[in-house]
Amino acid sequence: MSDQKIAVVTGGSRGIGRDTVLRLAHSGVRSIFTYHSNRADAETVAASLAEAGAPGVALQLDTGEAASFDSFAAQMKGALTTLGVTRFDYLVNNAGTSSNRTLETVTEAEMDELYNVHFKGVMFLTQKLLPLMNDGGRIVNISSGLARFAMPGRIGYGPIKAAVEALSRNMALELAPRRIAVNVVAPGPIATDFSGGMVRDNPEVNRMIAENTALGRAGVPEDVGPVIVGLLSNGFGWVNAQRIEVAGGMHI
Ligand SMILES: NC(=O)c1ccc[n+]([C@@H]2O[C@H](COP(=O)([O-])OP(=O)(O)OC[C@H]3O[C@@H](n4cnc5c(N)ncnc54)[C@H](OP(=O)(O)O)[C@@H]3O)[C@@H](O)[C@H]2O)c1
C-alpha cells in the first residue's frame, strides 16, 4: 500500500458516514464516498473534505441495486484516477435505511428491500470492489445493537444486521490470504436522520434509550466515527473478525 491511504465509504453524505469521511480527512485519508439521492449534502461534504486538505470524490450509488455494481466499479476506477491512484485501502459498508415493522405488519417487499440494501448490497459491492483494493487493507461493516438485542418493531432490520455480522466473519476468513481484516461496528441508537430522525427528534424515544443505556444518553455520529476510523488505523491492524458495539452500554 502507498503511504497515502484511500477509503471508500458508502452513505458518506450524512450521519455516521459523514462523520467518518470528515474524520478520515482530518487524519490525511482521502475518501471516495457515496450518496443515494441527496446530492446537495454530498456536495457539502465534498467541499468540507477539500477544506480539510484531503479532497475526495462523491459518487451516486443505490446499495439495493446490485445490478448497478459493475458500472459503479467502473466509476470507481475513474474516481481513483482522479485521486491519482489505481487502488484503495479501506472499505466501510455503512449505507442503509431503517424499517420499523412488526411480525404482523412487515411485508415481503420491505424484507426484500432490507435484504437488498443491508445484506446483498454489502456482499456484492464488496465482491465487485475487491479487485480494486490493496492487499493489507481493511473492511468495516456497519451493523446495529439490534443484531444482539430485540426491540419492538424491528423484526426485519435486527435479523438482517445479524446476518451482516455472520457475513463479516466469513469475509474475514476468506480475505485472510490477502491480509485484509474485516470487522463490524454495531452502533446503538444514534441521533441522525435515520428512521425519520426518531432517535434525535422524538423525546419519548430519546428518553427510553437513555434509560436503557448505562452511560445515560442516546449516541451521536461523533461517538461512532472515531471507532470506525480507529479500526482503520495502524494500531488496530491485529483486530480481525470482531464486533464492537458502540452503544454506551445499552441493554447490558
Ligand atoms: N442511526 C442509528 O440509530 C443507527 C443505529 C445502528 C446502526 N445504524 C446503521 O448505521 C448506518 C448509517 O446510518 P445513519 O444513522 O448514519 O443514517 P442516515 O443519517 O440516514 O444516513 C444514511 C446514509 O446512507 C445513504 N443511503 C440510504 N439508503 C441508501 C441506499 N439504498 N443506497 C445507498 N446509500 C443509501 C444516504 O444517502 P442520501 O443522503 O443520498 O439519502 C446517507 O448517506 C446504517 O447502516 C444504519 O443501519 C444506524
Side-chain angles (χ1 to χ4, degrees), residues 54-82:
V57 178
L59 295 178
Q60 197 279 335
L61 173 71
D62 183 347
T63 57
E65 286 289 334
S68 73
F69 292 171
D70 279 324
S71 78
F72 180 77
Q75 284 183 64
M76 269 282 304
K77 283 185 194 164
L80 290 167
T81 304
T82 302

Side-chain angles (χ1 to χ4, degrees), residues 15-106:
I16 293 167
R18 173 174 56 196
D19 187 79
T20 301
V21 294
L22 293 177
R23 215 168 275 280
L24 284 168
H26 286 286
S27 58
V29 177
R30 291 177 297 166
S31 291
I32 297 165
F33 68 95
T34 73
Y35 63 98
H36 179 215
S37 50
N38 195 339
R39 191 187 168 93
D41 279 0
E43 283 172 358
T44 304
V45 172
S48 301
L49 297 183
E51 263 173 46
V57 178
L59 295 178
Q60 197 279 335
L61 173 71
D62 183 347
T63 57
E65 286 289 334
S68 73
F69 292 171
D70 279 324
S71 78
F72 180 77
Q75 284 183 64
M76 269 282 304
K77 283 185 194 164
L80 290 167
T81 304
T82 302
L83 296 181
V85 295
T86 53
R87 296 166 88 81
F88 69 95
D89 305 288
Y90 310 134
L91 173 61
V92 181
N93 283 306
N94 162 77
T97 47
S98 70
S99 159
N100 306 318
R101 288 294 187 179
T102 63
L103 188 54
E104 276 191 340
T105 60
V106 70

Side-chain angles (χ1 to χ4, degrees), residues 10-17 34-39 41 61-64 93-98 113 117-118 142-146 157 161 186-195 199:
T10 65
S13 53
R14 291 189 285 123
I16 293 167
T34 73
Y35 63 98
H36 179 215
S37 50
N38 195 339
R39 191 187 168 93
D41 279 0
L61 173 71
D62 183 347
T63 57
N93 283 306
N94 162 77
T97 47
S98 70
E113 172 78 3
V117 170
H118 285 279
I142 305 303
S143 174
S144 168
L146 291 163
Y157 178 82
K161 286 297 202 185
I190 307 297
T192 66
D193 297 336
F194 198 72
S195 232
V199 174

